[in-house]
Amino acid sequence: MRGPVNELTPLEKNPPKLTKPKSIAAGIPGVLASFSHSVSNNLSSSIYNLSKVNRFQGFDCPGCAWPDPDDHRSRFEFCENGAKAVADERTKNKADPNFWSNWSVKELSLKSDNWLNKQGRITDPMVLMPDSMHYTKISWDEAFDIIATELASLKDVNKSIFYTSGRTSNEAAFLWQLLARWFGTNNLPDCSNMCHESSGVALTESIGIGKGTVKLDDFNKADLIIVIGQNPGTNHPRMLSALSDAKKSGASVISINPLKETGMIRFKHPQKPLDLLGKGVKISDEHISVNINGDMALFRGFSKVIIESENYDIDFIKKYTNGFNEYLDEVNNTDWEEISFHSGVNTNDIKRLGEIISKSTSTIVCWAMGITQHKNSVATIQEIVNFQLLGGHIGRPGAGICPVRGHSNVQGDRTVGINHKPSSNFLSALANNTGIDVPIEHGVDTVEAVKLMKNFNTVFLSMGGNFLSAMSDTKKTASGLKNCNLTVQISTKPNRSHLVTGKKALILPCLGRTEIDTTSQGRQIVSVENSMGVVHSSQGSSKPISDNLKSETAIVAGIALSLESKISRNEVQWRNLSENYDNIRNLISSCISGFDNYNSKLRIKGGFYLPNSPRDNLTFNTKSGKAEFVKHNISSKKAKLNQFLMMTIRSHDQYNTTIYGLNDRYRGISNGRRIVFMNPDDIKDNNLKKFQLVDLTSHFQGEKRISHKWFVIPYDIPKNNIATYFPESNSLIPLDSVADRSNTPTSKSVIITISKSSD
Ligand SMILES: Nc1nc2c(c(=O)[nH]1)N[C@H]1C(S)=C(S)[C@@H](COP(=O)(O)OP(=O)(O)OC[C@H]3O[C@@H](n4cnc5c(=O)[nH]c(N)nc54)[C@H](O)[C@@H]3O)O[C@H]1N2
Ligand SMILES: Nc1nc2c(c(=O)[nH]1)N[C@H]1C(S)=C(S)[C@@H](COP(=O)(O)OP(=O)(O)OC[C@H]3O[C@@H](n4cnc5c(=O)[nH]c(N)nc54)[C@H](O)[C@@H]3O)O[C@H]1N2
Ligand SMILES: [Mo]
C-alpha cells in the first residue's frame, strides 16, 4: 500500500530571525544574493547563462513577464529574480532514478518545499504505479502509451483536464491546446485563472481587449505612475529600472499598498556602478497604506475629486467612451464617509492626493495580485479604468493601463489559445485550418477542475506548474488529485504535485528555457509574449542536464501520436509540427490575427508588437464600440470584531511554489516562512507577543479551516490586516471563495481568527 502522503507543507520548529525592513532595493546586496544562489547551484553555468538572458539571440528570462527596452535588448539585462531562476534551472543536482528509489513518496511528502526543489533536475520519465510507494524509471514510449490508454478509455472526453503554467512557450502552448481540442475538450485551466483572470475579464468588457495598453517607452513619457497591489522589488525587479528612469524624466510615483514594500522606497540599479555608490533613486513620492481590498473605494475617491474639480477630459469622454453620465451619477451618490470606511484612508488624504492626481496629463496605472485576487476584483479593475477614462489616459503617449503579468509567457499562452472559454472566432479558425472537429462547450477553470476531479474519475495532465500547491484549499485540491485515474506532470524539478497524485502518476521531465532544443530538423527557437504584447524569440544555449529529456513540444506530440491509433484519428500532422517549430508558427499565423509573417518577424531583432487597438488607434472592440464606463457600488471585504483580513503573498526567496530559500530580505525576515505579519497594536490587544505560536482559522459560509503553528511577527501593516506566505497558507483559502465573474481564488481576502497554539 502507498499509504497516506502529507499534502501540506511541514511545520517549522524555530521562529525566524528579524532585522529592520530594508529601505533600498537591489544594489550590492541584490548582486551578492543572486551570486550566492548561483554559487550554491552551478556558478560557471549560471554566469554563462546570465550573459544570454534577454539578448537578441539568447533565451527569454524565466523570471517574469516584464519587457526589455525596444532599442537595447542586447544589453546585459537581468536582475536578482532572473539570476535566481536561471541558477535554479542550471543546478548540477539531479533528481535521477536513484533519488526516486531512495525515497518513498510518503517520505518525500514530509520534506519542505525548499528541500524538494534543492534535489535538482528530474532526469528521466518516472512512473508511480497504483499501490507502489516509489517512482520507477519508465521509457518514453511506455509513458505515452499509459497516457493514451487512459485518455482513450474515458467514456466522456470532458473528464480529461489539460492544465498549463505560464512558462510554456507559444509553440508548446499552441500544440497543447490543439491536443486538448483535437481530443475533444476545452478543459484548459491555467495559472492565469489564479492570477490575472480578473484583469482579463474586466478589461475585455471595459476596453475590448484583455491586456494592458502601454509600451515600456510610455514610462519615460508619463508624468504620473500609480503602482497598486504589487511588490516589484521582489517580483518584477526590472520594473524598478523603468520606474527610476521615469523619475529621472520627471514623473511622480504613487504606491498604494497595505505594506511599504522596499522596492517602492529607493532603488539602486545593480548594473550601474554610479548607482551602487550613491544613495539610489527615491521611487515613491507618496505611499498610501490602504486597507486590504480598499482600492476600489480609494479610486472612487480620486474620481470624485476629479469630477468635483471638473478636471476631466470631456472631449475624450465624448468621443471615445460610453456610460459617462451613469458613472457621474454613481460617483455623485457615493459619499465620503463610505469611501473612507471602505478604503481605510482618511478623506483629507484622499482629497489632497486626488487634487495632485487630477492635474496629471499622462497617467499610467500598474497593478498585480494585490488587485486581482479579491471577491470584487473585476469591479475594482473597472473602477480603475473608469478613473483612467475620466482623464483620457488611454491611447496617448505616456498614459494607459498596465496589468503587470507574472509568469514569463502567461500572456502569450492565452493569446495562442490556452483558454477554457475560447472565442468562437478562434475555434472556427482552428477548425478551418486543421480540419479537427472543435469542441464548443466551455471547459473548466482551476476551481471547476478541482470540483470535476472530486466528483469523477478524471485524467489530469499538467504542462508545468504545481497545481496542488498553487491552488486554493489544499485539502480539497489534494482529494481531487487523488481521485484521478492518472495524473501527469510535465516538469523540470520535483514539487508537491509529484507526491499527491492520482492512482497512477507520471513525471515527464522536459527541457528548460536555458537548454538547447534540437530536433531532426536542427536547432529550434521558441517564442514568448511579454507583459506589453511584444512577441520575441527565445533560444537556450546550454547542453541539456540529461540526455533523456524531451522538449515540451516533443512531449505533446508523443502523447498525440500514441493516442492517434487508439482513437482512430489522424487529422493533425503532429510529427511535422513538432520537428520544425516554423510549421507550428505557420499554423498559429493562420489561426490568430496579428501573427502574419510570424516566422520572419520573429527573426527580426527584438521581435514585434501584437496589435492593440485601444493603444494603437483608440478603437474599442466592446458592445458599444467605445470604451465603457462600468458602474458598480463600492464594496470591500471587512473583518468583523476579533477577525482579521488576510492576504497571502510571496517572500523574496520564492518563485510561486518554488522555494529558493527561507529569507525575505527586504522585509527583514530570515530563516523562516511560517509567519503571520501583524500590526503591533493588534498583537497587544489580542494578548499575543512576538514569536507567539498561533493557529489560524478561516471562516467562510459557516465552514472553518484550521492551520496550526504560525509565528507572530510585528510589522507595519494596517490594523485588522494580516499577511502570510503562500503556498503554506493555501489550505486556509476556501475553494468556493472566488472573485465574482473571473472565479479567481480570493488569495488576498481571507477572513481569519487567531488563537494561541496548544503545545
Ligand atoms: N521573485 C519572484 N518573481 C515573481 C514571482 C515570484 O513568486 N517570485 N511570481 C510571478 C507571478 S506568477 C506573479 S503573478 C507576479 C506577482 O507579483 P505581485 O503581485 O507583486 O506578488 P504578491 O506577493 O502576490 O504581491 C502582492 C502585493 O500586493 C499587496 N496587496 C495585497 N493585497 C492588497 C490590496 O488589497 N490592495 C493593495 N493595494 N495591495 C495589496 C501586497 O502587500 C504585496 O505587496 O510576480 C511574478 N514574479
Ligand atoms: N495563496 C495564493 N496562491 C496563489 C497565489 C497567491 O498569490 N496566493 N498566486 C497564484 C499565481 S499568481 C500563480 S501564477 C500560480 C502559479 O501556479 P503554477 O504556475 O502552477 O506554479 P509554479 O510554482 O510557478 O510552478 C512551478 C513548477 O513548474 C515546473 N517548471 C519550472 N520551469 C518549467 C519549464 O520550463 N517547463 C515545465 N514544463 N515545467 C517547469 C517545475 O517543476 C516547478 O516545480 O499560483 C497561484 N497561487
Ligand atoms: Mo501569476
Side-chain angles (χ1 to χ4, degrees):
M1 272 297 286
R2 198 182 294 165
V5 290
N6 192 23
E7 297 146 358
L8 303 173
T9 43
L11 303 181
E12 288 172 8
K13 286 201 185 76
N14 299 312
K17 295 204 171 59
L18 305 185
T19 50
K20 258 181 76 174
K22 307 289 173 290
S23 56
I24 301 180
I28 298 279
V31 177
L32 291 178
S34 42
F35 210 65
S36 76
H37 199 70
S38 303
V39 172
S40 64
N41 284 283
N42 184 354
L43 181 64
S44 56
S45 174
S46 299
I47 289 193
Y48 170 72
N49 274 286
L50 284 175
S51 70
K52 305 274 178 196
V53 174
N54 288 356
R55 300 188 68 150
F56 287 128
Q57 304 275 310
F59 61 88
D60 180 58
C61 181
C64 71
W66 189 257
D68 307 292
D70 287 340
D71 55 345
H72 53 259
R73 282 199 57 222
S74 57
R75 217 213 266 148
F76 193 45
E77 275 268 342
F78 72 91
C79 65
E80 183 184 340
N81 181 8
K84 281 179 178 165
V86 167
D88 204 64
E89 186 173 300
R90 294 314 302 160
T91 175
K92 276 188 177 150
N93 297 347
K94 291 182 182 174
D96 58 12
N98 267 340
F99 163 82
W100 296 103
S101 80
N102 286 342
W103 298 90
S104 71
V105 281
K106 162 126 205 202
E107 287 164 337
L108 290 172
S109 77
L110 298 170
K111 298 289 187 183
S112 70
D113 292 333
N114 182 219
W115 186 93
L116 286 174
N117 179 55
K118 277 201 182 129
Q119 303 316 303
R121 289 286 296 279
I122 304 163
T123 56
D124 297 86
M126 306 297 299
V127 66
L128 183 66
M129 294 305 280
D131 293 338
S132 169
M133 292 196 295
H134 287 85
Y135 274 98
T136 49
K137 188 174 164 181
I138 185 174
S139 74
W140 280 101
D141 284 345
E142 285 171 294
F144 293 145
D145 188 65
I146 290 178
I147 300 172
T149 306
E150 289 290 346
L151 284 174
S153 69
L154 287 175
K155 291 208 175 63
D156 174 0
V157 287
N158 284 323
K159 305 242 165 75
S160 61
I161 302 168
F162 296 76
Y163 174 72
T164 319
S165 167
R167 226 181 253 195
T168 299
S169 65
N170 282 355
E171 291 73 8
F174 183 83
L175 273 203
W176 188 235
Q177 64 79 37
L178 186 59
L179 170 65
R181 296 196 164 110
W182 170 72
F183 183 59
T185 184
N186 281 315
N187 282 347
L188 284 154
D190 74 328
C191 67
S192 231
N193 301 148
M194 304 179 251
C195 184
H196 264 294
E197 192 73 52
S198 304
S199 306
V201 171
L203 296 176
T204 303
E205 188 177 55
S206 292
I207 60 167
I209 188 169
K211 303 180 183 183
T213 68
V214 292
K215 293 184 175 177
L216 189 55
D217 188 42
D218 286 312
F219 280 73
N220 297 320
K221 298 177 181 151
D223 64 20
L224 175 66
I225 300 167
I226 306 180
V227 180
I228 334 166
Q230 201 197 336
N231 178 18
T234 288
N235 298 315
H236 304 92
R238 283 178 299 124
M239 179 176 173
L240 296 184
S241 318
L243 290 177
S244 86
D245 288 351
K247 292 284 299 190
K248 288 174 193 159
S249 314
S252 303
V253 174
I254 297 178
S255 120
I256 300 175
N257 198 313
L259 305 181
K260 277 199 191 81
E261 303 286 22
T262 303
M264 294 307 297
I265 306 174
R266 287 195 97 82
F267 169 63
K268 285 187 185 184
H269 199 301
Q271 288 139 270
K272 289 189 184 162
L274 281 181
D275 256 35
L276 290 181
L277 291 176
K279 281 201 302 194
V281 180
K282 179 179 175 219
I283 299 288
S284 301
D285 299 275
E286 294 273 356
H287 170 83
I288 306 176
S289 288
V290 68
N291 273 359
I292 294 176
N293 197 216
D295 308 270
M296 184 183 181
L298 185 65
F299 273 81
R300 178 64 53 87
F302 293 154
S303 289
K304 201 168 168 70
V305 177
I306 294 175
I307 286 170
E308 284 173 358
S309 62
E310 296 188 5
N311 255 328
Y312 45 85
D313 184 343
I314 194 66
D315 295 337
F316 177 93
I317 292 171
K318 278 194 181 145
K319 198 159 168 200
Y320 298 113
T321 73
N322 180 47
F324 174 61
N325 288 333
E326 292 81 353
Y327 180 63
L328 201 66
D329 289 345
E330 183 69 34
V331 175
N332 287 333
N333 288 335
T334 319
D335 61 44
W336 279 110
E337 241 169 69
E338 245 183 301
I339 290 173
S340 181
F341 168 78
H342 285 293
S343 63
V345 184
N346 80 50
T347 306
N348 287 341
D349 282 344
I350 305 179
K351 285 186 175 167
R352 183 181 60 82
L353 272 172
E355 287 292 330
I356 301 170
I357 288 173
S358 70
K359 305 218 164 62
S360 160
T361 55
S362 43
T363 305
I364 295 177
V365 183
C366 308
W367 70 86
M369 296 304 101
I371 289 296
T372 63
Q373 298 174 331
H374 302 281
K375 182 162 192 312
N376 61 358
S377 286
V378 171
T380 300
I381 293 161
Q382 293 190 322
E383 188 65 22
I384 294 172
V385 176
N386 294 341
F387 160 85
Q388 283 293 76
L389 292 178
L390 280 180
H393 296 303
I394 284 188
R396 77 153 74 120
I401 46 184
C402 180
V404 181
R405 307 299 303 245
H407 265 302
S408 49
N409 196 37
V410 62
Q411 185 157 315
D413 290 349
R414 189 48 73 85
T415 305
V416 301
I418 302 297
N419 193 343
H420 60 292
K421 290 180 176 175
S423 70
S424 47
N425 280 350
F426 172 75
L427 286 180
S428 47
L430 196 64
N432 291 340
N433 287 290
T434 59
I436 67 170
D437 195 5
V438 288
I440 306 296
E441 191 190 338
H442 283 173
V444 293
D445 59 21
T446 50
V447 170
E448 292 157 348
V450 172
K451 293 182 180 171
L452 187 69
M453 287 187 236
K454 272 177 67 84
N455 294 332
F456 302 97
N457 296 123
T458 52
V459 175
F460 177 79
L461 303 106
S462 188
M463 175 56 88
N466 179 3
F467 192 75
L468 172 83
S469 304
M471 249 310 273
S472 54
D473 221 332
T474 315
K475 289 217 153 175
K476 283 201 179 163
T477 301
S479 66
L481 287 166
K482 287 194 274 191
N483 197 34
C484 291
N485 288 338
L486 172 70
T487 48
V488 180
Q489 301 287 335
I490 301 170
S491 310
T492 50
K493 305 199 63 186
N495 65 45
R496 214 159 281 280
S497 296
H498 301 136
L499 311 177
V500 178
T501 66
K503 293 170 193 85
K504 251 184 250 164
L506 286 164
I507 304 176
L508 306 181
C510 65
L511 297 174
R513 279 273 170 85
T514 55
E515 291 168 328
I516 298 169
D517 182 356
T518 314
T519 68
S520 64
Q521 312 258 315
R523 238 168 118 166
Q524 302 297 313
I525 55 173
V526 293
S527 51
V528 294
E529 176 185 340
N530 66 31
S531 209
M532 288 172 194
V534 179
V535 178
H536 62 85
S537 65
S538 174
Q539 187 170 34
S541 45
S542 287
K543 188 175 172 299
I545 213 102
S546 142
D547 294 336
N548 204 12
L549 303 182
K550 282 190 189 292
S551 68
E552 291 176 346
T553 37
I555 294 173
V556 184
I559 298 172
L561 288 166
S562 186
L563 193 55
E564 266 189 341
S565 57
K566 295 197 165 61
I567 57 173
S568 313
R569 298 239 302 275
N570 61 0
E571 302 92 328
V572 182
Q573 306 293 308
W574 296 105
R575 214 177 290 281
N576 173 46
L577 291 169
S578 64
E579 291 294 319
N580 183 346
Y581 300 175
D582 280 0
N583 296 335
I584 305 180
R585 286 184 285 267
N586 284 336
L587 190 53
I588 295 179
S589 312
S590 338
C591 296
I592 304 167
S593 66
F595 285 92
D596 344 288
N597 306 318
Y598 194 177
N599 276 310
S600 50
K601 285 201 290 196
L602 190 66
R603 289 173 168 89
I604 299 170
K605 271 188 174 183
F608 59 97
Y609 277 94
L610 286 175
N612 183 309
S613 62
R615 173 178 77 197
D616 301 340
N617 47 33
L618 277 162
T619 52
F620 300 93
N621 185 21
T622 57
K623 268 195 200 135
S624 64
K626 293 184 167 190
E628 300 281 348
F629 279 97
V630 186
K631 68 176 181 115
H632 298 276
N633 289 332
I634 54 169
S635 59
S636 67
K637 190 101 186 160
K638 288 271 177 219
K640 296 199 192 103
L641 190 68
N642 299 327
Q643 292 184 335
F644 296 87
L645 188 59
M646 178 174 83
M647 54 180 176
T648 60
I649 55 176
R650 291 156 170 79
S651 85
H652 195 65
D653 263 0
Q654 73 183 86
Y655 194 91
N656 298 337
T657 67
T658 300
I659 310 301
Y660 299 138
L662 301 182
N663 303 340
D664 194 0
R665 196 173 82 245
Y666 292 156
R667 299 192 185 112
I669 312 287
S670 51
N671 219 18
R673 293 183 48 85
R674 216 174 163 84
I675 59 173
V676 196
F677 294 93
M678 217 172 155
N679 181 295
D681 291 339
D682 283 340
I683 296 181
K684 216 164 75 199
D685 296 348
N686 286 272
N687 252 332
L688 303 172
K689 51 185 196 298
K690 181 160 97 175
F691 297 144
Q692 176 100 46
L693 266 179
V694 294
D695 297 340
L696 305 179
T697 305
S698 74
H699 301 264
F700 180 75
Q701 297 179 344
E703 295 170 9
K704 286 184 187 174
R705 285 165 181 73
I706 185 157
S707 178
H708 295 284
K709 306 218 164 157
W710 296 74
F711 292 100
V712 167
I713 303 296
Y715 203 77
D716 183 3
I717 181 170
K719 269 177 74 89
N720 290 106
N721 287 185
I722 55 174
T724 51
Y725 298 131
F726 100 95
E728 288 81 350
S729 49
N730 251 336
S731 63
L732 290 164
I733 304 176
L735 188 65
D736 284 317
S737 179
V738 291
D740 297 333
R741 299 182 58 203
S742 65
N743 223 26
T744 297
T746 59
S747 307
K748 302 284 191 271
S749 286
V750 193
I751 297 287
I752 294 288
T753 51
I754 300 182
S755 56
K756 290 180 189 168
S757 304
S758 54
D759 292 331

